[in-house]
Amino acid sequence: MSTVLASPRTSLRRARSATVLLGPAFVAAIAYVDPGNVASNISAGAEYGYLLVWVIVMANAMAALVQFLSAKLGLVTGRTLPQVVRDRAGRPLRLAYWAQAELVAMATDLAEVVGGAIALKLLFDLPLLLGGLITGVVSMGLLLVQNRRGQKPFERVIIGLLAIIAIGFMASVVISPPSASGTLGGLAPRFDGAGSVLLAAAMIGATVMPHAIYLHSGLSRDRHGQPEAGPARARLLRITRVDVGLAMVIAGAVNLSMLLMAAHTLSGREDVDSLESAHAAVGDALGPWAALLLAVGLLASGLASTSVGAYAGAMIMEGLLRRQIPLLLRRVITLVPALIILAAGIDPTQALIISQVVLSFGIPLALIPLVRFTSDRTLMGPDTNHRWTTAAAWLIAAIISALNLLLIYLTITGGS
């Protein structure tokens, strides 16, 4: 019996071809490092130190499974999650579902435009309204790349912004490393009063984002099509697991860096109640370069995430209603509420918190259909979820839904 081994050149060729197929998950991962994450993670570290490290780890593990299921749905069915919902729902339910999805998309855009506006104020002392307008205009430019050049160039731009985000937020923990024992101790699940529960719910709500769940199914479908069941599809699903795994490791490292930086640098300070004050405190503790990189990371986060959010919104509308409006027109429409908030002089950090509460309503409505559809053998065929995968996915959906309901309750009652 002889064994034929692949030549080094063949193995290298296969590795390169697999690498070329990576990318959709990195676009979806932008949702996991948006300004809402920045606000909740820095608040958690500043108020509770290393206590909630375990929440970051748990949220990222849950998000990885959710994003893989979304990508798998697109690959196997050749349809996006909104399209499958449309095919399975009657007209009244479909319209109601679209209305909540649009509300969630606007809340997402609010957080991202506000984050970009805050970053431009920190970097150039621009008024928030002007910063929000600039953020919107630049995001239109990024969407033009997708509209005219296609998905691959758009992916490259977004991956470049993700790299800037990672450098911006991870620089502080390199400049001044956090406590190793504190970090390890934070892996033990526990809370410290209602305030820590509220922040944990906000962190998870800012991590698993409805528009990323909808979007990933379309990104995978548009990149890879609908391969026939068999070796080709199995290979793409394996590559998709790697794609999701790498993207979520990067997103998780960025989120963890935000919390560790705040726990190490800002914990115990009473003057850290906004992104602006956190930026100033980082400058005081670590120097102007650390503060500059933090602001640059926040700006890249706002620009990338608002572009991806508008892209997702267009996919949701087309999938649920079979209607398309020009992507740039849609960008203008969803930008308006954010600009109104900034023009009204509402505290931007408070606006970020409100946006996370609105997002909380939409998360179960994206998660539950996703788990249901990927567990349906008539829809997924041989690639139906394994029963253990289904059990884990339903548990994740239950945990996230419960925490988001808790977030809404605690926000309304003031955390009491």
Side-chain angles (χ1 to χ4, degrees), residues 157-178:
V157 172
I158 295 300
I159 290 171
L161 287 171
L162 180 60
I164 294 172
I165 294 167
I167 293 169
F169 289 116
M170 296 174 72
S172 294
V173 297
V174 175
I175 294 170
S176 181

Side-chain angles (χ1 to χ4, degrees), residues 62-74 77 80-82 84-85 88 97 208 213-214 217 362-380 383-401:
M62 293 193 299
L65 178 58
V66 169
Q67 293 304 137
F68 174 70
L69 292 183
S70 177
K72 184 171 78 166
L73 180 71
T77 66
T80 66
L81 176 57
V84 180
V85 170
R88 298 281 179 115
Y97 193 91
V208 182
I213 300 172
Y214 297 125
S217 57
I363 293 174
L365 293 172
L367 270 177
I368 292 171
L370 176 67
V371 180
R372 173 69 185 85
F373 295 150
T374 54
S375 305
D376 185 345
R377 186 164 293 278
T378 62
L379 183 65
M380 300 295 289
D383 293 301
T384 305
N385 293 341
H386 187 278
R387 63 179 181 274
W388 290 112
T389 303
T390 298
W394 279 122
L395 178 61
I396 289 170
I399 291 171
I400 293 175
S401 299

Side-chain angles (χ1 to χ4, degrees), residues 274-313:
S274 67
L275 289 175
E276 294 96 323
S277 58
H279 172 265
V282 168
D284 291 340
L286 302 180
W289 280 106
L292 174 64
L293 289 171
L294 180 67
V296 169
L298 180 62
L299 178 60
S301 170
L303 294 175
S305 55
T306 192
S307 304
V308 170
Y311 188 11

Side-chain angles (χ1 to χ4, degrees), residues 15-365:
R16 285 177 176 171
S17 65
T19 303
V20 168
L21 296 175
L22 301 177
F26 287 80
V27 176
I30 287 294
Y32 295 89
V33 290
D34 76 350
N37 291 85
V38 179
S40 57
N41 292 334
I42 290 180
S43 294
E47 292 184 36
Y48 295 99
Y50 299 96
L51 180 74
L52 299 178
V53 167
W54 66 273
V55 176
I56 296 279
V57 176
M58 182 184 74
N60 250 67
M62 293 193 299
L65 178 58
V66 169
Q67 293 304 137
F68 174 70
L69 292 183
S70 177
K72 184 171 78 166
L73 180 71
L75 279 173
V76 173
T77 66
R79 288 175 286 171
T80 66
L81 176 57
Q83 286 174 329
V84 180
V85 170
R86 178 194 68 203
D87 295 343
R88 298 281 179 115
R91 180 175 173 80
L93 180 58
R94 186 165 65 243
L95 289 174
Y97 193 91
W98 169 75
Q100 66 81 29
E102 286 292 347
L103 181 62
V104 165
M106 287 187 180
T108 301
D109 214 37
L110 170 62
E112 293 156 353
V113 172
V114 168
I118 293 173
L120 287 169
K121 181 180 180 181
L122 296 175
L123 287 168
F124 306 110
D125 199 26
L126 296 180
L128 287 174
L129 180 58
L130 178 58
L133 188 60
I134 292 172
T135 301
V137 170
V138 173
S139 69
M140 287 183 196
L142 296 178
L143 289 171
L144 275 174
V145 173
Q146 191 278 332
N147 207 30
R148 296 185 177 180
R149 300 288 186 89
Q151 185 172 326
K152 286 185 180 180
F154 181 68
E155 285 178 4
R156 294 189 189 104
V157 172
I158 295 300
I159 290 171
L161 287 171
L162 180 60
I164 294 172
I165 294 167
I167 293 169
F169 289 116
M170 296 174 72
S172 294
V173 297
V174 175
I175 294 170
S176 181
S179 164
S181 60
T183 303
L184 292 174
L187 293 172
R190 65 195 190 281
F191 294 106
D192 183 15
S196 64
V197 177
L198 176 62
L199 266 175
M203 290 162 68
I204 292 176
T207 300
V208 182
M209 303 284 278
H211 74 284
I213 300 172
Y214 297 125
L215 179 64
H216 205 158
S217 57
L219 290 171
S220 295
R221 186 274 313 269
D222 293 345
R223 174 65 100 86
H224 304 304
Q226 184 187 6
E228 295 287 336
R233 182 191 291 176
R235 178 173 179 267
L236 279 176
L237 287 173
R238 287 195 301 271
I239 292 170
T240 297
R241 287 191 189 94
V242 175
D243 191 26
V244 171
L246 290 174
M248 294 313 300
V249 164
I250 293 172
V254 172
N255 281 315
L256 186 58
S257 295
M258 296 176 199
L259 187 145
L260 294 179
M261 178 276 294
H264 178 59
T265 306
L266 310 179
S267 182
R269 296 185 59 146
E270 297 182 356
D271 58 343
V272 184
D273 56 359
S274 67
L275 289 175
E276 294 96 323
S277 58
H279 172 265
V282 168
D284 291 340
L286 302 180
W289 280 106
L292 174 64
L293 289 171
L294 180 67
V296 169
L298 180 62
L299 178 60
S301 170
L303 294 175
S305 55
T306 192
S307 304
V308 170
Y311 188 11
M315 188 175 290
I316 291 167
M317 175 178 278
E318 190 280 328
L320 289 169
L321 302 184
R322 286 196 177 97
R323 293 183 180 178
Q324 290 182 325
I325 61 174
L327 194 57
L328 297 184
L329 175 60
R330 181 179 180 85
R331 165 71 284 185
V332 172
I333 293 171
T334 55
L335 181 63
V336 169
L339 295 180
I340 291 174
I341 292 289
L342 293 173
I346 296 174
D347 178 64
T349 302
Q350 187 64 30
L352 286 175
I353 293 172
I354 293 170
S355 73
Q356 298 310 304
V357 175
V358 174
L359 285 172
S360 299
F361 286 98
I363 293 174
L365 293 172

